[in-house]
Amino acid sequence: MTTVTSPLAGRAIGLAAVPDPVFSGAMVGPGTAIDPARDEASEAVAPVDGVIVSLHPHAFVVVDDEGHGVLTHLGIDTVQLNGEGFELLVNKGDTVTRGQAVVRWDPAAVEAAGKSPICPVVALEATADALSDLRQDGDVKAGDTLFGWQ
């Protein structure tokens, strides 16, 4: 069982509330989403121990020892910002531990640029019934459990 924790502080809102049909329809995979705190620039942290297999300023994937890939997508349509306002803190191929900072970003700046700062956290190549205790509401801190993955 893999425990997936929140990569940032904010409010869990569930994938259905994500303003993007690819995520809200769980086409990428099941999971949840975080509406991040807007108070200041923050660090998105690894939601599991593992290896960074994909790394972009606006999104990263960590694969754990069981082969579970977890996508953290920082905002919606943020690829259009071309990395502006995002700082990579690790490299693709790095081994990271849960809670380790991966990307520094500013959700308020993303919002000011006209993009949604909502962050899907998705279990890649998983089925919905593989997830348990899915957190879809309430305040979360970075490191709080979002869901279990069988």
Side-chain angles (χ1 to χ4, degrees):
M1 166 79 110
T2 296
T3 297
V4 176
T5 57
S6 185
L8 26 96
R11 190 169 48 88
I13 60 170
L15 281 184
V18 174
D20 179 298
V22 173
F23 287 112
S24 64
M27 290 180 229
V28 180
T32 192
I34 307 298
D35 189 359
R38 310 284 201 287
D39 44 7
E40 58 191 29
S42 62
E43 293 173 343
V45 302
V48 294
D49 293 341
V51 175
I52 301 280
V53 298
S54 180
L55 180 65
H56 303 279
H58 65 281
F60 58 92
V61 176
V62 182
V63 175
D64 73 3
D65 288 343
E66 294 182 42
H68 292 153
V70 180
L71 167 68
T72 299
H73 202 285
L74 301 173
I76 301 302
D77 295 331
T78 44
V79 66
Q80 297 167 5
L81 300 177
N82 297 314
E84 180 100 12
F86 297 84
E87 179 188 355
L88 300 178
L89 304 175
V90 298
N91 295 300
K92 184 177 175 181
D94 284 359
T95 297
V96 293
T97 55
R98 178 190 317 275
Q100 181 177 340
V102 177
V103 178
R104 184 174 293 119
W105 73 307
D106 186 342
V110 165
E111 200 165 49
K115 306 298 178 195
S116 169
I118 288 172
C119 298
V121 181
V122 176
L124 297 174
E125 299 177 21
T127 58
D129 59 3
L131 305 189
S132 59
D133 301 320
L134 191 59
R135 186 87 182 263
Q136 301 197 69
D137 56 32
D139 292 339
V140 293
K141 296 187 297 292
D144 286 356
T145 299
L146 292 181
F147 54 86
W149 186 354
Q150 299 288 5

